Amino acid sequence: IQMEDVRQDFTQVDPQKFRTLHSAVSTKSAIQIIYRSMTHPDGITRVIHPLAFVFAGRRWHVRAFDEMSGEHRDFNLARIKQADNAPKSVPTPIDSDWDDLVHLQLRPHPKLNPSQEQLIRDELFNGAAGRQVTTRRALITYILRELEVAENPDTQQPPDYQLYLYRAE
C-alpha cells in the first residue's frame, strides 16, 4: 500500500543551536541569539528565556520570554542566526498565554449550503454539529491556520475556508 504525507518541515536548524536551545529549555536558563526577521533581516541581538518547542505547520519555533520586548514570543528556529548561553537580566515572568487552555468551538462555515454543511459534518465531525479543539492560548493562530478555519466568515469564505470559529472559551 502506497501512502504519502504532504506535511513539510521547511526548518533547517544547526544541531549545535538546537542543543543550546534545548539545554536552555531544560535548565530554564537564558540564551543570547541573533534573530533575523522581516523587520531586521540581517539580525538583531536578543536575550531570550526559552520555554518550549512548537511545530507550527511547516516550521519549528521556540516559545520564549524576550528580554528586549518584555513579552513572550515565538521565534522561528530557522531565523536564529546564532545562539549562545547568556545570563538572565530579569527573572522569567509567567507566560499566561502558554498556561491558559482555550476551547475552540469549530462549525461548518455558515455560507455552505445544507448539503455541503452535512458533508463537512460527516467528514470532520463524525456527523456532529461541530467539534471542540483544546489548545494553549498562545497557539490559537497556528491551529486556525493549520485547520484553515475562518475567524471572519464574511471575508474568509468557501471554498478556501470550510470551517469557522464559532466560539472560543
Side-chain angles (χ1 to χ4, degrees):
I1 296 175
Q2 185 172 344
M3 297 176 71
E4 294 289 333
D5 183 353
V6 298
R7 294 174 296 179
Q8 297 293 316
D9 177 0
F10 284 10
T11 306
Q12 298 296 315
V13 180
D14 173 62
Q16 180 56 45
K17 283 185 222 166
F18 182 81
R19 280 191 294 277
T20 301
L21 290 162
H22 186 272
S23 175
V25 170
S26 298
T27 60
K28 300 182 184 338
S29 56
I31 299 291
Q32 180 175 295
I33 62 172
I34 297 176
Y35 189 72
R36 300 173 66 202
S37 66
M38 296 305 282
T39 307
H40 301 283
D42 294 327
I44 188 167
T45 301
R46 296 176 177 271
V47 174
I48 64 170
H49 307 187
L51 171 69
F53 293 98
V54 176
F55 182 65
R58 65 183 193 274
R59 55 191 179 189
W60 283 92
H61 295 90
V62 63
R63 178 77 177 172
F65 174 72
D66 174 30
E67 288 188 7
M68 187 167 85
S69 67
E71 299 175 349
H72 286 88
R73 294 187 173 182
D74 299 331
F75 295 90
N76 178 337
L77 294 187
R79 292 183 176 186
I80 297 175
K81 190 174 179 178
Q82 186 175 329
D84 300 297
N85 294 322
K88 286 185 179 182
S89 300
V90 295
T92 307
I94 292 172
D95 184 354
S96 58
D97 284 344
W98 184 260
D99 293 340
D100 290 347
L101 294 179
V102 177
H103 307 291
L104 306 176
Q105 300 291 330
L106 307 181
R107 299 282 187 268
H109 198 288
K111 300 228 172 159
L112 295 173
N113 69 40
S115 296
Q116 292 169 327
E117 177 183 337
Q118 189 60 53
L119 173 67
I120 296 303
R121 289 175 61 181
D122 292 343
E123 176 188 3
L124 302 176
F125 307 147
N126 199 27
R131 184 171 181 170
Q132 177 175 291
V133 175
T134 302
T135 189
R136 297 174 185 280
R137 183 177 306 282
L139 303 179
I140 291 173
T141 302
Y142 299 130
I143 295 287
L144 296 179
R145 189 179 306 144
E146 178 72 15
L147 296 175
E148 297 177 328
V149 175
E151 292 180 78
N152 183 342
D154 292 327
T155 59
Q156 298 170 307
Q157 298 186 12
D160 295 329
Y161 296 88
Q162 297 173 358
L163 302 176
Y164 90 106
L165 179 59
Y166 176 72
R167 180 174 58 227
E169 301 170 351

